[in-house]
Amino acid sequence: PPIRWRRYWRKKAARPAPRSALPFCRPPQQSRSKASSKSSDLSVQGLPWLIARPVAHRGLHGGGAVIENTPSAFVAAIAAGYGIECDLQVSADGEAMVFHDPTLGRLTEQNARVDSLPARDLKRLDFKATKDHMITLGELCDITAGRSPLLIEMKSHFQGDCRLLERTARTLSNY
């Protein structure tokens, strides 16, 4: 990894790593070989699915009628032939919820943190000025049904909590 990440992982390695079934939830092993210190090629040549068409950031939304990261925004993006970028936050019970902010206040009448409420309560909240509700990653997969590529951003401060990563991996393994 680049130099700045090496410093980060050295700091993280000083603390005990949380146990997890997923190897990417643990800091990587430090290697002394020169080959491992080279950064990987980040060119887009191997990603034609990502650059072949426009990507609707948080779905196709705007104008006050359609709110970001909602079923309506995703259906509109699919209808327009766009790929979909979405954001995930973890709920209190470990579900991968499609929502951008860590708190609910900007888009709902509730001011709680997303990670403080269980998925069943989050799914009942109305978004401001619309009848859309928050959905899970599984429900987004049902909506897209393979008709549109997904670009998923997992919102996390990586403080050893791997629930969002694990739930996302489990959901996408069945997709």
Side-chain angles (χ1 to χ4, degrees), residues 14-153:
R15 291 182 250 149
R19 297 304 247 166
S20 174
L22 298 173
F24 49 79
C25 287
R26 288 180 238 131
Q29 297 296 320
Q30 294 293 323
S31 173
R32 299 192 188 276
S33 75
K34 291 181 183 176
S36 67
S37 66
K38 293 180 181 176
S39 62
S40 59
D41 178 18
L42 297 176
S43 70
V44 294
Q45 292 176 356
L47 301 173
W49 63 270
L50 182 59
I51 61 173
R53 57 177 151 176
V55 175
H57 185 241
R58 301 182 199 158
L60 197 55
H61 61 91
V66 179
I67 303 291
E68 66 189 53
N69 278 324
T70 59
S72 297
F74 300 134
V75 168
I78 293 166
Y82 290 177
I84 295 171
E85 182 273 345
C86 69
D87 305 283
L88 299 180
Q89 296 277 356
V90 68
S91 66
D93 55 353
E95 185 62 66
M97 303 302 298
V98 180
F99 198 75
H100 178 268
D101 301 344
T103 57
L104 299 166
R106 184 171 64 90
L107 297 175
T108 75
E109 298 299 334
Q110 179 74 257
N111 283 320
R113 291 185 54 82
V114 174
D115 62 4
S116 71
L117 297 172
R120 72 177 179 279
D121 292 348
L122 292 168
K123 290 169 63 168
R124 290 183 190 144
L125 293 174
D126 287 331
F127 283 97
K128 292 178 180 176
T130 179
K131 293 296 181 189
D132 275 322
H133 298 277
M134 194 180 307
I135 60 173
T136 65
L137 175 59
E139 290 166 331
L140 173 59
C141 290
D142 291 343
I143 290 169
T144 59
R147 296 175 291 166
S148 182
L150 293 174
L151 180 61
I152 299 170
E153 181 177 345

